[in-house]
Amino acid sequence: MKFLVDSMLGKLARFLRIFGYDTLYANDLVDFFKMDPVPDEKLLAFAKKTNRFVITKDYPFYKSFTENTIYLRGEGVYNYLNQLKETLRLNFKFNIQNARCSICNSKMKKVKEKSDIKHLVLRETFNQYNDFYQCLNLQCKKVYWKGSHIDDIENRLGSNSIQD
Ligand SMILES: [Zn+2]
């Protein structure tokens, strides 16, 4: 399942990528379309062409194109993730085989030699963790680690957290 996330939902786009969902963010398409903001019709056509659900908080947008568009209510990224979990049965478990870079949506690889990324993370982080992952996009190469941050996200999205 692939997504195109409307503007205002950048944090949601980053979370979906971490959990392995191929996700484009509307604001990242500004250069591609050379229009800012990218008009709704363009976004929708792009989503259809690339087989993506559109996720939006914009009710008029949703009303005009209900097909393959998901409308999110309220505020807050955990609330949004829970709505998606509910509606689309998404699974939010971190798995490096699927995980994507939160910045650029590329796949990641496990870092074989920890020393290779020493210059890219804080010393405390380097000392505290042993497993690091890196974005495969050579223009990006962002480094990740499964520290308390991902654990915290998983806990907050545990089975008891679905609320209407
Ligand atoms: Zn990246």
Side-chain angles (χ1 to χ4, degrees), residues 101-107 135-137 140-142 144:
C101 174
S102 69
I103 308 296
C104 74
N105 197 38
S106 300
K107 296 284 238 175
C135 174
L136 288 169
N137 173 359
C140 174
K141 289 172 117 179
K142 187 177 159 66
Y144 294 84

Side-chain angles (χ1 to χ4, degrees), residues 19-37:
F19 287 113
Y21 294 98
D22 180 340
T23 304
L24 296 181
Y25 181 42
N27 294 21
D28 293 338
L29 294 173
V30 164
D31 286 345
F32 179 80
F33 284 106
K34 297 185 173 53
M35 279 185 246
D36 187 9

